[in-house]
Amino acid sequence: MGNNAVGGVDSVRTKPAWYYDTAKYAEPSLSKAILQLLDTLIPYFLLWAVMLYLVKAGYPYWVTLMLAVVAGLFLVRVFILFHDCCHHSFFASRKANKIVGTVCGILTCTPYADWQWAHAKHHATAADLDNRSCGGVWTMTADEYRSSGLWTRIKYRVYRNPLVMLVPGPLIMFLGVFRFPTKGAGKRQQNSVLVTNVAILVLLVIGSRTLGLRDIFRIALPVVFVATAIGVWLFYVQHQFEGVGWFRHEQWDVITASLKGCSYYRLPAVLRWFTGNIGIHHVHHIRTGIPNYNLQRCFDETPQLQDIHVLTMRESLRSLWLNLWDEERQQLVGFRAIGR
């Protein structure tokens, strides 16, 4: 296995031969991209139309909520398309990626260029203990936690609490935090935040004048909650799981970080479709240019990518109680473990 580090070291290290074979999967398909847009956006907007009808016609609200769960799953898929556009992998055309990515970003309340910039930093630093400042879940080492003051410990415990992370956390992130540029972002990223915010405001104004703001929120909030909660959970479990590896920068390389620092989260077929195979996350980190519709084929046809721990849905739930990286044990541990 070759080593590939960031910060210039990557360019002088040799990648394994099989890595170069994965390049053929990083070829966008216009027909597949268009099909995914159609089978995602059309059902999503149809569900919105049905929910609006149910609300206006006075049907029991629980019926609308049931459809909102399905619509939330489709919104997760919209985000996957947005995500691929941010990596310039969905279409061969960068302009097409930008246009579709911006539109999908508005639908998911996520500014295209700003998130793209922050997410690129995440890929360049995932599983790097010396670079945990941007694009990832706040993770402290056991030693850092022990030496921290009381206020920092309280903030960290609140942040890592499953109820906070998966209930108000996703809404705060997508509806609040994403309304402002990421720290250190440039003019292009700042403009994308402005464009997204204005577009969301325009949609709310149009909706309030035509359909009624109250009914819009009765539909939008549960849909957005379902989608953002699933999205945050997926992002969390892709890098925070039992058996994950973290490395100091001098030992970090992209191949090892992808195979040891990312999960292969095996989901049921229907959830794999809604999540665009993002559970095959180690493959995505190996080569970010592979669009979601080629991830499964790359995994199936590359034996070296199959020699990895399979994270099941049941096992993934244990990840919620793994909060700190213990450098001595080289594993994620819970708060109770550092007292022993």
Side-chain angles (χ1 to χ4, degrees), residues 22-209:
T22 62
K24 61 186 177 184
Y25 303 102
E27 297 178 359
S29 166
L30 181 59
S31 61
K32 290 181 180 179
I34 291 176
L35 178 61
Q36 286 199 330
L37 283 173
L38 295 176
D39 67 22
T40 302
L41 295 179
I42 291 177
Y44 179 66
F45 288 125
L46 283 176
L47 282 166
W48 258 89
V50 173
M51 287 187 290
L52 281 168
Y53 169 78
L54 293 173
V55 169
K56 293 294 184 182
Y59 282 84
Y61 186 50
W62 64 265
V63 180
T64 300
L65 288 178
M66 289 180 64
L67 291 179
V69 173
V70 182
L73 287 169
F74 273 101
L75 191 56
V76 170
R77 188 165 166 84
V78 173
F79 190 87
I80 294 299
L81 308 189
F82 162 83
H83 168 264
D84 276 10
C85 288
C86 286
H87 282 293
H88 300 301
S89 64
F90 196 58
F91 295 104
S93 166
R94 292 177 73 90
K95 184 176 182 180
N97 282 312
K98 181 179 179 180
I99 293 172
V100 173
T102 299
V103 173
C104 290
I106 293 169
L107 294 176
T108 57
C109 303
T110 313
Y112 175 75
D114 186 71
W115 192 87
Q116 180 186 52
W117 178 74
H119 191 61
K121 294 182 71 174
H122 158 69
H123 273 272
T125 58
D128 188 336
L129 284 169
D130 296 312
N131 292 283
R132 288 170 280 163
S133 60
C134 183
V137 175
W138 182 17
T139 304
M140 297 180 74
T141 67
D143 289 339
E144 288 169 347
Y145 181 80
R146 290 189 187 100
S147 61
S148 295
L150 177 61
W151 178 235
T152 300
R153 291 191 184 196
I154 292 174
K155 287 193 298 182
Y156 188 69
R157 279 183 174 268
V158 171
Y159 176 87
R160 299 289 297 214
N161 185 288
L163 290 178
V164 174
M165 184 173 291
L166 297 176
V167 182
L171 289 177
I172 292 172
M173 177 66 69
F174 280 83
L175 300 184
V177 175
F178 285 175
R179 304 285 63 79
F180 303 92
T182 303
K183 184 179 180 180
K187 190 67 175 178
R188 186 172 69 91
Q189 289 78 29
Q190 295 173 19
N191 287 339
S192 76
V193 175
L194 179 61
V195 168
T196 304
N197 291 347
V198 170
I200 292 173
L201 181 60
V202 169
L203 290 175
L204 286 175
V205 171
I206 294 174
S208 66
R209 295 294 181 87

Side-chain angles (χ1 to χ4, degrees), residues 37 189 218 228 231 294 298 301:
L37 283 173
Q189 289 78 29
R218 291 181 73 194
T228 56
N294 286 342
C298 180
E301 297 176 2

